[in-house]
Amino acid sequence: MAAYSAGLWSLLRLLFSLVIPALILSGVLCICLSLFLWGIRLWLQQRKNKLIPPGKDGKRPRVVAFFHPYCNAGGGGERVLWCALRALQNKYKDASYIIYTGDTDATAENILQGASRRFNIRLNQPVKFVFLKKRYLVEASLYPYFTLLGQSLGSLVLGWEALVKCVPDVYIDSMGYAFTLPLFKYLGGCRVGCYVHYPTISTDMLSVVKNQNARFNNATIIAKNPLLSKLKLVYYYLFALVYGLVGSCADVVMVNSSWTLGHIVFLWRSGVYPNIVYPPCDVQAFLDIPLCKEKSTAEHTIVSVSQFRPEKDHRLQIRAFAKLLEKTTGQQPLPKLILIGGCRNQEDDQRVNELKKLCQELGVEKRVEFKVNIPFEELKTHLGNATIGLHTMWNEHFGIGIVECMAAGTIILAHNSGGPKLDIVVPYEGHVTGFLSENEEDYAETMAHIFALSPAKRLEIRQNARQSVKRFADQEFEETFLLSVEQLFK
């Protein structure tokens, strides 16, 4: 017993003798790391002064930067970017504005022309584009496994490239790369803000894995395996913890819907409470489309407006449309489905080809049309002629395409979740503004129901929807956006 006690005491003495050196070593490493990071910050500030010299009045202009690697895409997120930039230019005229983008295959002139053509937005002042070469690091196709982690780490590298090329005074992440926020705040010395379209990870994603449900971001092989599901759940929880830490670095947080607000408040737990800033929708341009009386012999068209990304679930649209055609066999004229959207890259182009093959497999290829990256005027024409606006994304964060469909006078049919359910397809003064569904059978039945309504009833719903979406106009966005970012400019 005495020998055992002596051995234990010796072990404790050994461990205690190691604690002090370990604490000293840890302290030295922390000091070295702090000095290293402080050195990087000083170096970046020196580069900032060299790259952006003072103006004629001796003062260096304030530099405002937007981080938007896909600014030449044609989605709702890009509309937010251009409207936000236009609003800031109108209010802070003396500032200099830049956009970090990875669209190296386009010139600055091409990008600005694209914004004008797709969104009918023109800037009143110049904007400088900082082209990034490492955008491939945030492509989902590069990470078949641990995609969220891979893209987030890739955004750090991409953010560093952006920071080295130009150090701004105000940094706004307008695309959802939260891992860049601490980089620009602590190394770049910037005031940072972010506009969150969709949380990188959400409590809904956690529940999908926990309940072993197969989705586009939860492969069937994982969903069917309890062990793999538990491991993925641990990975998701750890990622959510880190995501909350980096998100809490923001000085200003804006979210696009009530659904996004709930998730960001839960995940980030920062001292800054997010502001809901509904995305800008060119409501007036669509409200100008006259609501004409329907002709009884006219062909009914169903229009979908969304980027060709996997989460938009165009496959559900096509399958539901095929079921609708089965229900309307023998009726003339048969309805037509028009899928309108933007393609960002080769992966999106491939997705469109796969959707076309699905149409052939289901025998509906003659009744389905694809319109990719079309001009704004052509979009208005299709929406103006459509009877139904179709949207199938589960937990869509907001849904600019949904608002555009409603403003144009189509009867919207969206997924019964997320922003459409909480913010958009809601009663207006107690009256119906649209419909919600969840699966292909439900979608097919609802589309058949809409076509079965009398023209007068459809007109009533369309008028209610138009009145409802006026709250999502560009002017409303600009006012709430400027109020939200005001403290970044103090």
Side-chain angles (χ1 to χ4, degrees), residues 16 34 68 78-79 91 93 103 180 183 198 206 241 291 293 360 366 369 389 391 407 487:
F16 183 76
S34 300
H68 208 104
E78 286 65 59
R79 182 168 182 79
K91 183 171 183 178
K93 301 181 186 297
D103 295 303
T180 64
L183 194 66
Y198 195 90
L206 294 170
L241 177 64
L291 285 181
K293 290 184 178 181
Q360 293 175 349
K366 293 182 179 180
E369 294 182 8
H391 198 275
Q487 70 180 84

Side-chain angles (χ1 to χ4, degrees), residues 250-290:
D251 299 307
V252 168
V253 181
M254 294 166 283
V255 296
N256 64 347
S257 68
S258 302
W259 181 86
T260 307
L261 173 69
H263 288 280
I264 291 300
V265 168
F266 178 80
L267 291 166
W268 286 13
R269 302 179 187 276
S270 66
V272 178
Y273 193 81
N275 297 315
I276 296 181
V277 181
Y278 290 125
C281 306
D282 195 2
V283 173
Q284 191 56 52
F286 293 101
L287 290 175
D288 291 338
I289 301 173

Side-chain angles (χ1 to χ4, degrees), residues 285-469:
F286 293 101
L287 290 175
D288 291 338
I289 301 173
L291 285 181
C292 302
K293 290 184 178 181
E294 299 179 24
K295 298 178 181 179
S296 58
T297 57
E299 178 185 60
H300 286 301
T301 59
I302 304 163
V303 171
S304 163
V305 181
S306 60
Q307 286 186 311
F308 289 102
R309 304 203 304 260
E311 63 270 23
K312 298 298 182 180
D313 206 353
H314 289 89
R315 299 179 71 86
L316 174 56
Q317 296 180 8
I318 295 170
R319 291 196 302 267
F321 180 68
K323 282 189 176 294
L324 173 66
L325 292 183
E326 293 176 5
K327 295 176 181 292
T328 57
T329 302
Q331 297 180 16
Q332 292 296 331
L334 289 173
K336 179 186 291 184
L337 174 63
I338 303 176
L339 302 177
I340 301 173
C343 283
R344 305 162 298 173
N345 47 39
Q346 187 176 359
E347 188 177 350
D348 288 350
D349 292 330
Q350 179 61 34
R351 193 168 293 112
V352 171
N353 292 331
E354 292 173 357
L355 292 172
K356 290 179 178 179
K357 290 179 182 178
L358 177 61
C359 291
Q360 293 175 349
E361 293 171 6
L362 297 174
V364 298
E365 70 276 7
K366 293 182 179 180
R367 305 302 305 168
V368 179
E369 294 182 8
F370 290 82
K371 304 291 182 179
V372 181
N373 296 332
I374 63 174
F376 182 73
E377 289 302 318
E378 187 178 347
L379 169 65
K380 284 176 60 177
T381 300
H382 286 298
L383 287 177
N385 295 331
T387 302
I388 295 176
L390 187 62
H391 198 275
T392 49
M393 178 177 171
W394 171 72
N395 273 340
E396 170 70 273
H397 40 290
F398 181 72
I400 290 180
I402 296 172
V403 174
E404 291 176 344
C405 286
M406 294 169 73
T410 70
I411 296 180
I412 194 66
L413 175 55
H415 198 280
N416 189 26
S417 63
K421 178 182 179 180
L422 297 174
D423 295 312
I424 305 176
V425 190
V426 295
Y428 173 74
E429 296 183 351
H431 300 291
V432 175
T433 59
F435 298 88
L436 300 168
S437 295
E438 294 186 10
N439 53 59
E440 61 185 76
E441 183 65 36
D442 194 13
Y443 269 99
E445 289 181 358
T446 307
M447 284 188 282
H449 169 70
I450 293 171
F451 288 138
L453 294 173
S454 67
K457 183 61 179 177
R458 283 199 291 265
L459 180 61
E460 179 186 333
I461 296 173
R462 294 159 70 194
Q463 290 172 336
N464 292 333
R466 278 194 154 187
Q467 292 298 319
S468 173
V469 298

Side-chain angles (χ1 to χ4, degrees), residues 131-301:
F131 290 93
L132 307 177
K133 297 180 180 179
K134 293 182 173 60
R135 190 180 71 176
Y136 66 91
L137 292 175
V138 297
E139 294 278 357
S141 57
L142 190 64
Y143 311 100
Y145 306 103
F146 300 100
T147 309
L148 295 181
L149 179 61
Q151 287 183 291
S152 297
L153 294 178
S155 72
L156 275 174
V157 179
L158 189 64
W160 173 251
E161 180 188 358
L163 187 57
V164 168
K165 287 186 175 181
C166 182
V167 184
D169 298 293
V170 176
Y171 170 80
I172 301 175
D173 165 38
S174 54
M175 207 171 173
Y177 292 104
F179 279 68
T180 64
L181 298 176
L183 194 66
F184 278 82
K185 181 170 185 175
Y186 297 116
L187 293 185
C190 313
R191 306 204 72 176
V192 300
C194 60
Y195 187 95
V196 184
H197 298 273
Y198 195 90
T200 305
I201 191 168
S202 67
T203 53
D204 290 321
M205 292 169 65
L206 294 170
S207 65
V208 164
V209 177
K210 187 175 182 179
N211 297 329
Q212 296 182 238
N213 295 328
R215 295 269 183 177
F216 75 92
N217 56 357
N218 191 40
T220 304
I221 189 173
I222 294 177
K224 291 183 176 180
N225 190 307
L227 177 59
L228 292 178
S229 293
K230 284 183 173 59
L231 291 174
K232 184 170 184 177
L233 192 61
V234 170
Y235 158 56
Y236 267 14
Y237 274 119
L238 291 174
F239 182 86
L241 177 64
V242 179
Y243 180 61
L245 290 174
V246 297
S248 64
C249 296
D251 299 307
V252 168
V253 181
M254 294 166 283
V255 296
N256 64 347
S257 68
S258 302
W259 181 86
T260 307
L261 173 69
H263 288 280
I264 291 300
V265 168
F266 178 80
L267 291 166
W268 286 13
R269 302 179 187 276
S270 66
V272 178
Y273 193 81
N275 297 315
I276 296 181
V277 181
Y278 290 125
C281 306
D282 195 2
V283 173
Q284 191 56 52
F286 293 101
L287 290 175
D288 291 338
I289 301 173
L291 285 181
C292 302
K293 290 184 178 181
E294 299 179 24
K295 298 178 181 179
S296 58
T297 57
E299 178 185 60
H300 286 301
T301 59

Side-chain angles (χ1 to χ4, degrees), residues 66 78-90 97 121 123 172 174 195 254 280 477-478 481-482 485:
F66 284 85
E78 286 65 59
R79 182 168 182 79
V80 168
L81 166 69
W82 298 114
C83 284
L85 184 55
R86 182 178 61 186
L88 289 176
Q89 285 187 341
N90 289 336
Y97 296 90
I121 295 174
L123 301 178
I172 301 175
S174 54
Y195 187 95
M254 294 166 283
F477 166 81
E478 291 184 5
F481 177 81
L482 289 174
V485 301

